[in-house]
Amino acid sequence: MTTVTGTAVTGAVGTARTRLEGVDKVTGAARYAAEVPFAELAHGWLVLSTVARGRIRAVEADPVLAMPGVLTVLHHANAPRIAADFAGLLGRPDPVVGVFQHDRVPYLGWPVALVVAETSEQAREAAEALVVRYEEEPHDVAFHAGRPGTYTPQTPEATAEKGDVEGSLAACAVRVDARYTTPEEHHSAMEPHAATARWDGGRLEVFDSNQGSKWVADDLARLFSLDAASVRVRSEHIGGAFGAKGVRPHQVCAVMAATVLHRPVRVVLTRRQTFSLIGYRSPTAHHVRLGADADGRLRAFEHEAQNLTSTVAEFVEYSAGVGRVMYDAEAHRTVHRVVALDVPTPTWMRAPGEAPGSFAVESALDELAEKCGLDPIELRARNEPVVGPVSGLPFSTRKVLGCLREGARRFGWADRDPRPGVRRDGRWLLGTGTAASTYPSGVLPSTASLTAEADGTFTVRISAADVGTGARTALALVAADALEVTPDRVQVRIGDSDFGPAWVAGGSAGTRSWAWAVMAGARELRERLVPGGSIPPEGITARSDTAELVGALAKKERHSFGAQFAEVAVDITTGEVRVRRMLGIFAAGRIVNPLTARSQFIGGMTWGISMALHEEAVRDPASGGHVSPDLAGYHIAANADVPLIEADWVDDPDPDDPVGIKGIGEIGVVGSAAAIANAVWHATGVRHRHLPIRPDRVLAAGAEGDPSAKAGGDATHSA
């Protein structure tokens, strides 16, 4: 036995620490979902529909079953029955997880069969040889604002309204009436979706890449009508997620095949398959109308946002929610509209809602500042709300102006000539822009267990997910301070559903929710450790559940805030836009680990560069599918596109949080695209309201005058 001794140590939170698993990752010792070895492992390869709408007439499996190594072909006529009609932790799953349950094909890329073979190469060859015959039906994938079939969802969040928008607009001295669009965007995580399923002693085990092992385990239990305790999901290392790594067809297919074959089965999605199977950010269309007095004070604010959804499930991109937090007016209306098409169902993607919504709102604010003859920062200062513009609730903290003013000081904003199109560097036109940003700061119930080990160390067990953010390391620092020991005495184990319920890595609420559970568990454990007492060989364990703590939170508006600044150069000959430098200043609670937090902020702003200038998934109306659904055809910002990016923060601890945490995963994205677009206007004198700002659009605007730069410009989404 070990005696409980030692001097209390605190101060780990707030210090820069390298990742606990960093060496394992860079040396290859860390195993991802597709790398865990198993004896007698079989490999599944998905076959996706080649028509955009219709029915399956026949799956000609016999020739494929005769091919070398092929073990089985699962499809709607022979697959195990599952129950996909349920509501889990995050609501109803995408119907695409109900694979092989019927002969309907609702969109191109719908799963129609799984070929399982001894090797991955054999499975792929056989899958490509499988003949599936269809009864094809007419399809419709064309998205544009206000098209027939557009409707307002029957959800509480769909609409918020106060005052008389039309009357207030009519009385305003200055008005902005503009339309903006963003294209379809995809997650494109470095690690593809992969899952290995096996039955072990009557228990289902799945090794997976996901954002919440307990979430996935519980949904798989419901799908296969199993007791929750008989399913274990492990996901220790994850190579990116961004909202797409929940329950998806690959896990379901792996479990189906393992059940049929009585051996481990691995299913890995290809990059092209992810474009139709894992969700994406819907294209959006926005109509923003602002009305202000001559001094720039808003009297009317209206934002109507539209996105597409599938015919099998409704997904709303709540991008009009930005204005409900950021800007007040006596007349305030925000509404969401959707249209169902023959496409895969969209899903959450990093900063869902706020990313496209902020592009529209923060661009419109910049246009209003121009019309009022005001500096964009001064305009925002004059419209800083005291309470939530729609909710009327107080803010837990709100330091938007602190971020804008510190950013302006660091960026050299005071030296900016406000006139557009006057700065040049050879053939390059130069401009600077800014935008404010926000993202909700939530906390959800979670559980954790902490063990005082006989050797004097401590083990934290929590089914958290580290999707590359550094969450594992952050929790070690939180635990160390809560236990009053040095971080080297704390081991953190995560990504195992057996550790109990915990919130997912999503919504910028993961680390905050898990930290609450760790803090509560540490407090209970310390009460059980008696100074001078002994610890038995099995250790002493305390378990926490934060459901009551979360439920007792005072009702406030809780958000992280920020401000992004960008300098761009626009080539007048080629239309190329280059971001030369970016700065982000954030108010995002107490920063647990400055090293990984700065990485998250910079990563978010890099994503914003990609959104502003590169990313755009284009659908072919004839086929209903994508043009070049891969990283050759879907452009993202590469190293050469990313300039010097600086990120910092102002002091902003949340007074209602035991650690002071808010959330940082998404706030870096929000506002970045608008800051870049505003900088392009400053460089050229032309507004670009449709993302991405491609060279051809820049050249067209320069040669003919951009029609979208006129008030009331076209809101149609175009490629």
Side-chain angles (χ1 to χ4, degrees), residues 60-73 115-116 122 126 129-130:
E60 299 180 0
D62 289 346
V64 167
L65 288 168
M67 294 178 69
V70 174
L71 301 170
T72 190
V73 178
V115 177
V116 187
Q122 290 171 332
L130 182 68

Side-chain angles (χ1 to χ4, degrees), residues 260-277:
V260 170
L261 296 174
H262 307 290
R263 60 187 288 188
V265 177
R266 176 170 294 157
V267 179
V268 180
L269 299 185
T270 68
R271 180 69 63 190
R272 294 177 72 88
Q273 288 174 340
T274 63
F275 275 74
S276 63
L277 292 180

Side-chain angles (χ1 to χ4, degrees), residues 148-171:
T150 300
Y151 65 94
T152 301
Q154 298 301 304
T155 62
E157 304 85 2
T159 304
E161 186 170 8
K162 68 176 183 180
D164 177 9
V165 170
E166 297 298 337
S168 293
L169 279 170

Side-chain angles (χ1 to χ4, degrees), residues 477-516:
L477 302 182
V478 170
D481 277 4
L483 294 166
E484 298 185 348
V485 299
T486 55
D488 60 297
R489 290 178 60 188
V490 177
Q491 174 184 243
V492 178
R493 296 184 58 194
I494 63 172
D496 188 333
S497 63
D498 275 2
F499 295 158
W503 184 241
V504 303
S508 292
T511 299
R512 185 183 191 192
S513 301
W514 306 326
W516 279 41

Side-chain angles (χ1 to χ4, degrees), residues 393-592:
L393 296 173
F395 291 96
S396 59
T397 64
R398 182 184 170 103
K399 296 188 177 180
V400 179
L401 295 185
C403 294
L404 284 164
R405 287 167 177 160
E406 175 62 14
R409 184 189 68 80
R410 294 265 297 265
F411 197 72
W413 189 261
D415 299 328
R416 176 185 192 254
D417 187 330
R419 296 173 300 166
V422 298
R423 288 181 60 206
R424 291 187 74 122
D425 180 7
R427 71 176 191 270
W428 299 90
L429 292 171
L430 306 182
T432 53
T434 188
S437 54
T438 184
Y439 197 78
S441 174
V443 60
L444 286 301
S446 297
T447 63
S449 66
L450 284 79
T451 301
E453 308 288 359
D455 62 1
T457 63
F458 296 85
T459 301
V460 177
R461 294 177 178 85
I462 184 168
S463 58
D466 191 333
V467 296
T469 59
R472 180 189 280 102
T473 308
L475 292 177
L477 302 182
V478 170
D481 277 4
L483 294 166
E484 298 185 348
V485 299
T486 55
D488 60 297
R489 290 178 60 188
V490 177
Q491 174 184 243
V492 178
R493 296 184 58 194
I494 63 172
D496 188 333
S497 63
D498 275 2
F499 295 158
W503 184 241
V504 303
S508 292
T511 299
R512 185 183 191 192
S513 301
W514 306 326
W516 279 41
V518 170
M519 292 278 289
R523 182 170 57 248
E524 182 179 339
L525 182 59
R526 287 176 56 196
E527 291 175 355
R528 294 177 59 183
L529 297 176
V530 180
S534 59
I535 298 176
E538 68 275 14
I540 298 175
T541 298
R543 185 165 186 82
S544 67
D545 185 338
T546 63
E548 290 188 10
L549 294 173
V550 171
L553 268 181
K555 201 168 185 183
K556 295 180 181 179
E557 287 274 8
R558 301 180 188 278
H559 304 266
S560 293
F561 295 98
Q564 283 95 335
F565 295 78
E567 180 179 64
V568 304
V570 182
D571 190 320
I572 60 174
T573 303
T574 67
E576 178 184 11
V577 178
R578 284 280 178 186
V579 178
R580 289 196 167 184
R581 61 188 176 109
M582 285 193 77
L583 168 68
I585 302 293
F586 302 96
R590 190 179 181 196
I591 302 301
V592 178

